[in-house]
């Protein structure tokens, strides 16, 4: 009975997947992307020693990038989506066991990823023909990627079982992946700096280096480099493959073990009160809504209000203070410049990440809780409502802006020479600003049409073409080309703005 | 609530729909819709599931733009003058479209502020709507913790904060227990007495029978009836029908009556020996029916125009099945 239920789940998911045009378009897009790599190599074939290996290397990194995306969005929602739709109980009542549900939900997604990888087979053969890569390397690379896919599936199954909401599961997946990828760099940097400051011995430093190497080898980030080295002749069952498969299996088993406990109380998910919950309801009720009501609502309930701004400002200040102290210990000259530039660079990064996240949530939350139609019935134009929402989330960026401004005061020279002049007085600076604006628009648009993964998908939609452009002609492109692309980007952003307003109107009536 | 004096009735209809058609891709949701809703009336909007009720309400409240035809609210076109229409209108959708993380007071205060009410006016208006909907004691409660009936009251209070002239309520009683339904109907009666025009949609006609002054029945995107409740009861689907009470059970005489010239059908009335006789008015009149009954050997003790039950009227006007 349980096995039948599992097969029914798998079959249904595969059927739905097959019927969707989107699935086939993604595969087609992927095939075209690889074709682009081949064309790129073909155009400059004289510059390549091993064109086949270079094509295959590009394919591998795109695969790795997409597997990370799949982990964050595709796998991390595998059980939470059933929780959010309140359908998990129905599956249990149908007599499907926890392991049956987990297998029934995870398997089709894993198969989907395998199908996406299989699209590339003809091109891998082409890579061998072009030269520079052997069949053993190709086989080992695909085994490494598949093992990583299994790890992603296991991680997704585990986090979506223990988390109540998709957003939390996706955030934890992102945090886990970021930790795994950043840890080797931190270990190496810490080992080097602490040894330089004579805080640790050579042996400890080497141990830290080794730990960094080990962590690096647990993901394709490290193993693919080894596989794609000329003369690779090792077993495809590398350390990374064994670790990834083992962790994937352990995480899946943990999800199974915790399934009953984590899904026992299926409750209607409700919007969180956020930082407003820190106050008692009665105290909160005494404070009145501002005249700009939409700004008040989004500021308090989406970004967390004054409390969240203060907490974030304190957190940034403490973090940046600690970094400044570290820098002042390490650096002997230009301390203020170094501290200031670190503050500015860190806060600029924080802003770049925060802006699309808040903007996409701003509309997504209204759609999720079906409140958008009531908001659009106010006697205000759609543009005014949208602007009110933007103004509501804007104060959330204040902590980063304040710390950035402090950095600019500390290191005005760096601000002028390396930020202001490079960004606003050069064509390539404007080019990247416009690309970022386009990415934000794409993310907001995607947040209106997809349930999850708008941020990573939006980033990839803009980043991947840019990476290809820069890898081919971008670096040496004349300014005229950059200006033309910049103007096109700006026009596309305007078009997306129009599309966003149109989509918001459609969704209000849905 | 400090009841404002009822606004004087005007001859201008609150809502006018003319030649309205609306499609969702290939699916024709509305086909040539024409009807008026009198000002300061309580108008029922009834139809089976998928009939097009919500689409019509969304057109009136400006969420949808008419593809063909015109929709006017107090003389203003919803397509061109939508901001003014929104100021005079309150729409309560069929789903609980609420910021459930807010308290009742925060939620109402938010909408009052969003409609541009100054702070001092807001305080008074909120006290009024909370009193009217009997939610004053729950003002500090989180909406999330309220029962369905309570949430419905908060939803109703929300559409009242801008003092709209017309209220559109999409299946407001759906999912409510009997007590909550009765209490909701009481609130709606109170609102009508204040001079509001109320359009209330439902797929249960009997629910609206005592409440509404007029009713529109819609099925498969077309209007099947629009008029007063009494008119609906008198309204005959195809042929005039009289209810005939025989002195004794008819048995074989029923067959004999149905074969008389001009008689269309003779149907038994459930739970009695009465029959419902439908006839062709071009061949017979009511006297002719009585004569035909006597000719068939029936001793008639009662003979009156048949007034149908609301549900029967609804069944006659709507088609079988859902779309």
């Amino acid at each position: 009975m349980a096995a039948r239920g599992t097969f029914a789940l798998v079959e249904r998911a595969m059927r739905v997947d097959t019927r969707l045009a989107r699935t086939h378009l993604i595969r087609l897009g992927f095939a075209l992307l690889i074709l682009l790599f081949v064309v790129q190599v073909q155009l400059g074939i004289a510059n390549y020693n091993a064109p086949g290996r270079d094509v295959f290397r590009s394919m591998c990194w795109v695969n790795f990038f997409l597997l990370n995306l799949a982990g964050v969005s595709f796998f991390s929602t595998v059980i939470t989506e059933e929780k959010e739709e309140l359908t998990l109980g129905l599956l249990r009542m149908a007599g499907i066991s926890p392991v049956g549900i987990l297998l029934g939900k995870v398997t089709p997604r894993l198969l989907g990823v395998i199908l996406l990888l299989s699209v590339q087979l003809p091109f891998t053969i082409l890579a061998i023909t072009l030269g520079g890569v052997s069949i053993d390397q190709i086989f080992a690379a695909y085994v490494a990627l598949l093992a990583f896919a299994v790890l992603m599936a296991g991680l997704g199954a585990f986090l979506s079982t223990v988390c109540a909401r998709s957003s939390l599961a996706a955030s934890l997946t992102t945090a886990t992946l970021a930790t795994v990828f950043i840890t080797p760099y931190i270990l190496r940097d810490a080992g080097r700096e602490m040894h330089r400051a004579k805080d640790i011995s050579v042996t400890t430093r080497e141990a830290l280096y080794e730990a960094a190497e080990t962590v690096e080898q647990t993901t394709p980030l490290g193993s693919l480099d080894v596989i794609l080295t000329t003369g690779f002749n090792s077993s495809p069952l590398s350390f990374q493959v064994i670790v990834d498969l083992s962790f994937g299996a352990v995480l899946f088993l943990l999800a199974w073990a915790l399934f009953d406990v984590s899904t026992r109380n299926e409750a209607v998910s409700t919007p969180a009160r956020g930082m407003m919950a820190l106050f008692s309801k009665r105290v909160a009720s005494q404070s009145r809504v501002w005249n700009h009501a939409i700004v008040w609502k989004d500021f308090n309930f989406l970004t967390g209000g004054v409390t969240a701004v203060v907490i974030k400002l304190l957190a940034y200040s403490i973090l940046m203070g600690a970094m400044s102290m570290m820098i002042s210990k390490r650096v002997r000259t230009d301390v203020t410049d170094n501290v200031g530039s670190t503050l500015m660079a860190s806060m600029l990064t924080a802003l770049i990440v925060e802006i699309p996240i808040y903007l996409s949530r701003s509309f997504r939350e209204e759609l999720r809780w079906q409140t958008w139609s009531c908001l659009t019935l106010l006697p205000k134009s759609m543009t005014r409502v949208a602007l009110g929402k933007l103004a509501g989330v804007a104060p959330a960026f204040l902590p980063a802006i304040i710390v950035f401004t402090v950095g600019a005061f500390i290191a005005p020279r760096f601000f002028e020479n390396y930020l202001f002049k490079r960004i606003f007085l050069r064509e390539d600076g404007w080019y990247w600003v416009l690309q970022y604006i386009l990415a934000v628009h794409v993310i907001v648009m995607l947040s209106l049409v997809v349930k999850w993964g708008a941020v990573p998908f939006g980033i990839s939609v803009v980043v991947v073409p840019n990476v290809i452009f820069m890898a081919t002609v971008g670096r040496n492109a004349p300014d005229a080309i950059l200006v033309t692309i910049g103007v096109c980007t700006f026009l596309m952003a305007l078009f997306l703005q129009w599309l966003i307003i149109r989509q918001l109107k459609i969704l209000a009536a849905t | 609530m400090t009841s404002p004096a009822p606004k004087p009735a005007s001859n201008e209809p609150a809502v006018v729909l003319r030649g309205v058609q609306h499609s969702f891709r290939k699916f024709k949701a509305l086909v040539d819709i024409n009807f008026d809703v009198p000002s300061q009336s309580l108008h029922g909007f009834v139809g089976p599931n998928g009939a097009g009720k919500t689409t019509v309400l969304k057109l009136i409240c400006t969420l949808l733009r008419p593809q063909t035809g015109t929709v006017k609210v107090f003389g203003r076109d919803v397509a061109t003058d939508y901001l003014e229409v929104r100021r005079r209108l309150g729409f309560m959708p069929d789903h609980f479209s609420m910021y459930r993380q807010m308290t009742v007071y925060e939620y109402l205060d938010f909408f009052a502020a969003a409609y541009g009410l100054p702070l001092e006016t807001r305080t008074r208006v909120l006290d009024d709507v909370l009193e009217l909907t009997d939610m004053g004691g729950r003002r500090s409660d989180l909406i999330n913790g309220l029962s369905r009936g309570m949430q419905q009251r908060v939803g109703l209070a929300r559409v009242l904060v801008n003092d709209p002239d017309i209220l559109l309520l999409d299946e407001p009683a759906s999912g409510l227990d009997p007590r909550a339904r009765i209490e909701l109907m009481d609130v709606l009666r109170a609102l009508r007495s204040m001079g509001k025009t109320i359009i209330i949609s439902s797929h249960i006609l009997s629910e609206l029978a005592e409440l509404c002054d007029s009713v529109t029945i819609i099925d498969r995107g077309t209007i099947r009836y629009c008029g007063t409740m009494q008119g609906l009861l008198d309204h005959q689907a195809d042929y005039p029908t009289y209810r005939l009470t025989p002195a004794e059970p008819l048995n074989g005489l029923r067959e004999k009556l149905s074969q008389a010239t001009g008689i269309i059908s003779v149907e038994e009335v459930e739970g009695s020996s009465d029959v419902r006789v439908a006839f062709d008015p071009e061949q017979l009149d009511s006297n002719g029916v009585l004569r035909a009954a006597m000719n068939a050997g029936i001793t008639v003790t009662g003979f009156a125009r048949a007034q149908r039950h609301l549900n029967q009227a609804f069944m006659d006007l709507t088609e079988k099945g859902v779309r």
Side-chain angles (χ1 to χ4, degrees):
Chain A
M1 177 69 183
R4 218 185 307 151
T6 308
F7 282 125
L9 276 176
V10 174
E11 191 187 337
R12 183 188 154 275
M14 299 297 286
R15 278 178 192 277
V16 170
D17 196 45
T18 311
R19 284 191 205 121
L20 287 175
R22 189 179 56 192
T23 316
H24 305 291
L25 285 175
I26 289 172
R27 283 174 198 152
L28 179 69
F30 202 61
L32 288 175
L33 190 66
I34 294 164
L35 191 66
L36 205 67
F37 291 140
V38 177
V39 171
Q40 173 206 338
V41 169
Q42 176 63 30
L43 286 174
I45 197 137
N47 304 324
Y48 293 96
N49 294 326
R53 190 183 58 192
D54 289 322
V55 168
F56 188 64
R57 189 193 299 276
S58 306
M59 284 165 63
C60 284
W61 288 121
V62 169
N63 283 332
F64 178 60
F65 178 70
L66 288 177
L67 281 175
N68 281 290
L69 268 185
V72 172
S73 54
F74 200 42
F75 288 118
S76 65
T77 55
V78 73
I79 300 296
T80 46
E81 69 177 16
E82 298 286 348
K83 288 182 190 175
E84 285 168 355
E85 300 286 333
L86 297 178
T87 47
L88 202 55
L90 297 177
L91 292 177
R92 298 299 302 272
M93 281 165 69
I96 311 175
S97 62
V99 70
I101 295 172
L102 280 167
L103 278 174
K105 295 288 296 177
V106 172
T107 314
R109 296 191 183 203
L110 198 55
L111 285 174
V113 169
I114 292 169
L115 281 172
L116 201 58
L117 292 177
S118 67
V119 167
Q120 307 159 15
L121 273 174
F123 297 102
T124 56
I125 307 300
L126 191 65
I128 296 170
T129 315
L130 283 167
V133 66
S134 68
I135 189 83
D136 289 343
Q137 282 174 302
I138 287 173
F139 185 61
Y142 276 107
V143 170
L145 289 170
L146 281 174
F148 188 63
V150 171
L151 175 67
M152 288 291 99
L155 183 66
F158 171 69
L159 289 175
S160 68
T161 299
V162 295
C163 295
R165 294 181 189 175
S166 297
S167 54
L168 181 62
S171 304
L172 286 178
T173 311
T174 311
T176 310
L177 289 173
T179 308
V180 172
F181 295 144
I182 293 169
T183 302
Y185 297 99
I186 293 174
L187 288 173
R188 280 202 194 94
D189 202 43
R192 188 171 52 245
E193 294 308 323
M194 286 162 84
H195 177 66
R196 194 183 289 169
K198 298 194 168 44
D199 289 341
I200 55 168
S201 63
V202 177
T203 324
T204 317
R205 187 190 66 181
E206 291 308 313
L208 284 172
Y209 281 2
E210 206 168 308
E213 184 70 18
T214 310
V215 174
E216 207 163 60
Q217 287 303 320
T218 58
T219 68
L221 204 61
S223 67
L224 281 176
D225 265 343
V226 177
I227 292 168
L228 295 172
T229 313
T230 310
F232 170 81
N233 196 23
S234 306
S235 162
L237 291 175
S238 62
F239 173 69
Q240 177 251 321
V241 172
I242 293 163
V243 169
D244 285 6
L245 288 177
S246 310
F247 267 97
V250 167
L251 287 167
F252 186 86
L253 290 173
L254 269 175
W256 181 12
L258 296 172
F259 196 88
D260 269 333
V261 182
S262 308
T263 59
R264 196 170 289 153
N265 298 317
E266 197 175 32
V268 181
S269 56
T270 50
R273 203 170 153 80
M275 294 287 178
M276 290 288 273
L278 292 178
F279 302 109
S280 83
K281 285 174 293 182
R282 288 186 191 282
V283 171
S285 290
Q286 300 306 312
S287 61
R288 298 301 298 268
V289 176
W290 306 340
N291 285 337
H292 294 287
I294 297 174
V295 179
W296 170 86
K297 180 183 73 64
D298 277 17
F299 175 58
N300 282 296
F301 292 97
L302 197 72
T303 72
V306 177
T307 321
V309 170
V310 171
I311 289 174
K312 206 195 285 180
L313 182 61
L314 282 174
Y316 281 163
S317 303
I318 292 167
L319 193 69
M320 290 298 107
M323 279 178 77
S324 303
M325 280 175 68
M326 278 174 64
I327 292 166
S328 58
K329 267 189 175 181
R330 278 172 54 181
V331 181
R332 297 277 171 258
T333 54
D334 297 329
V335 176
T336 51
D337 268 5
N338 276 291
V339 169
S341 60
T342 308
L343 294 187
M344 281 186 275
S346 308
M347 290 302 107
L348 203 58
T349 311
L351 275 175
I352 286 170
V353 174
E354 278 183 21
I355 289 171
I357 290 175
Y358 276 115
L359 292 188
S360 61
R361 277 191 62 209
S362 175
F363 295 107
R364 184 73 237 158
E365 291 289 300
E366 300 281 356
L367 299 174
R368 188 176 171 204
W369 304 112
Q370 299 184 319
T371 47
W372 182 237
S373 56
C374 281
L375 215 53
T376 51
L377 277 175
L378 294 171
K380 298 174 195 294
S381 69
M382 187 66 74
T383 312
R384 253 188 92 192
V385 173
L387 285 175
K389 293 190 72 60
L390 298 189
V393 296
F397 310 132
L398 271 178
I401 293 170
I402 290 170
V403 178
F404 179 91
T405 312
V406 171
F409 273 114
I410 294 172
R413 207 176 40 174
F414 177 88
F415 175 73
E416 193 185 335
N417 294 336
Y418 290 90
L419 282 174
F420 186 76
K421 282 184 180 172
R422 278 196 180 180
I423 292 175
F424 297 109
L425 300 181
R426 282 171 52 165
E427 280 84 356
D428 58 346
W430 272 108
Y431 174 85
W432 289 111
V433 170
L434 287 168
Q435 292 300 316
Y436 178 69
I437 291 170
L438 179 67
V440 171
H441 279 82
V442 172
I443 290 167
V444 173
M445 182 63 204
L446 282 172
S447 75
L448 304 180
V449 291
V450 297
K451 269 189 179 176
W452 31 259
V455 175
F457 277 113
I459 290 169
S460 61
V461 163
V462 178
V463 166
V464 171
N466 268 297
V467 167
I468 295 168
F469 173 69
M470 284 297 153
T472 50
V473 288
R475 274 187 214 131
N476 307 314
D479 287 348
I481 290 186
L482 287 181
V483 171
T484 311
I485 295 176
V487 170
C488 291
T489 308
F490 181 69
L491 292 175
M492 277 164 70
L494 281 182
F495 176 65
L496 275 168
Q497 241 177 54
W498 176 80
L499 270 185
I500 289 166
I501 295 289
R502 183 176 165 270
Q503 185 66 16
L504 286 171
K505 284 180 183 170
I506 292 169
L507 290 167
T510 304
Chain B
M1 184 169 185
T2 323
S3 313
K7 289 166 191 170
S10 90
N11 293 331
E12 182 190 36
V15 177
V16 177
L17 283 91
R18 289 287 174 271
V20 175
Q21 302 200 23
H22 205 87
S23 301
F24 296 104
R25 295 193 180 169
K26 287 179 182 173
F27 177 75
K28 284 191 175 177
L30 301 176
V31 185
D32 195 25
I33 298 288
N34 297 284
F35 74 89
D36 296 357
V37 176
S39 187
Q40 299 185 17
S41 68
L42 218 159
H43 188 83
F45 197 52
V46 191
N49 291 325
K53 301 187 294 291
T54 303
T55 307
V56 170
L57 292 185
K58 281 181 178 173
L59 283 166
I60 298 171
C61 78
T62 75
L63 277 178
L64 283 175
R65 217 181 146 93
Q67 291 164 346
T68 317
T70 54
V71 180
K72 288 187 176 179
V73 176
F74 292 112
R76 294 180 185 271
D77 195 318
V78 296
T80 53
D81 217 355
Y82 63 94
L83 291 182
E84 185 53 32
V85 170
R86 285 178 189 177
R87 269 189 204 100
R88 299 188 67 178
L89 181 146
F91 175 55
M92 191 162 92
D94 58 345
H95 54 82
F96 285 133
S97 172
M98 289 180 156
Y99 296 106
R100 284 182 286 161
Q101 70 272 47
M102 291 185 188
T103 63
V104 172
Y105 201 81
E106 279 170 350
Y107 180 71
L108 298 177
D109 199 19
F110 165 69
F111 274 99
Y115 274 103
L117 269 64
L119 187 61
E120 56 276 17
T121 315
R122 272 194 265 155
T123 309
R124 183 176 49 75
V125 167
L126 261 56
D127 287 343
D128 284 352
V129 293
L130 284 168
E131 189 191 324
L132 177 74
T133 53
D134 201 18
M135 287 298 292
R138 312 295 296 265
R139 60 200 291 153
S140 300
D141 289 11
L142 281 181
I143 292 175
N144 196 35
L146 298 177
S147 67
R148 197 180 170 89
M150 293 280 186
Q151 290 193 12
Q152 199 69 287
R153 281 163 183 262
V154 177
L156 190 59
R158 194 263 301 164
V159 296
L160 292 172
V161 293
N162 63 320
D163 192 22
D165 295 319
I166 178 164
L167 296 173
L168 303 179
L169 313 176
D170 195 2
E171 311 213 359
S174 123
L176 297 186
D177 62 48
R179 169 171 281 279
R181 270 167 196 257
I182 291 165
E183 287 171 353
L184 178 73
M185 298 305 160
D186 286 343
V187 174
L188 294 182
R189 280 192 195 97
L191 288 169
R192 179 178 50 180
S193 69
M194 290 175 194
K196 310 268 183 216
T197 306
I198 303 169
I199 301 179
I200 175 169
S201 93
S202 176
H203 53 265
I204 307 165
L205 183 61
S206 54
E207 189 175 88
L208 306 178
E210 289 176 23
L211 190 70
C212 295
D213 309 309
S214 55
V215 67
T216 295
I217 294 184
I218 184 171
D219 185 30
R220 291 163 202 259
T222 53
I223 299 293
R224 301 298 170 100
Y225 174 80
C226 185
T228 61
M229 269 297 178
Q230 189 56 44
L232 176 65
L233 295 172
D234 294 340
H235 182 77
Q236 303 301 311
D238 298 309
Y239 298 101
T241 308
Y242 272 71
R243 186 173 172 144
L244 188 147
T245 310
E248 292 162 359
L250 289 181
N251 301 325
L253 297 178
R254 187 183 146 199
E255 185 70 19
K256 204 171 175 185
L257 174 61
S258 63
Q259 285 167 2
T261 311
I263 299 293
I264 304 295
S265 67
V266 181
E267 289 172 0
E268 284 178 20
V269 175
E270 223 171 286
S272 75
S273 58
D274 292 7
V275 287
R276 207 179 280 119
V277 185
F279 61 93
D280 183 352
E282 288 181 7
Q283 296 183 47
L284 278 180
D285 59 8
S286 54
N287 288 333
V289 176
L290 196 56
R291 209 164 24 246
M294 289 191 295
N295 290 344
I298 302 167
T299 311
V300 179
T301 56
F303 186 68
R305 191 178 171 91
Q307 206 175 50
R308 296 172 308 163
H309 188 269
L310 274 173
N311 288 342
Q312 184 60 44
F314 182 73
M315 294 299 281
D316 287 346
L317 288 165
T318 56
E319 288 175 36
K320 208 175 172 183
V322 290
R323 64 167 192 170

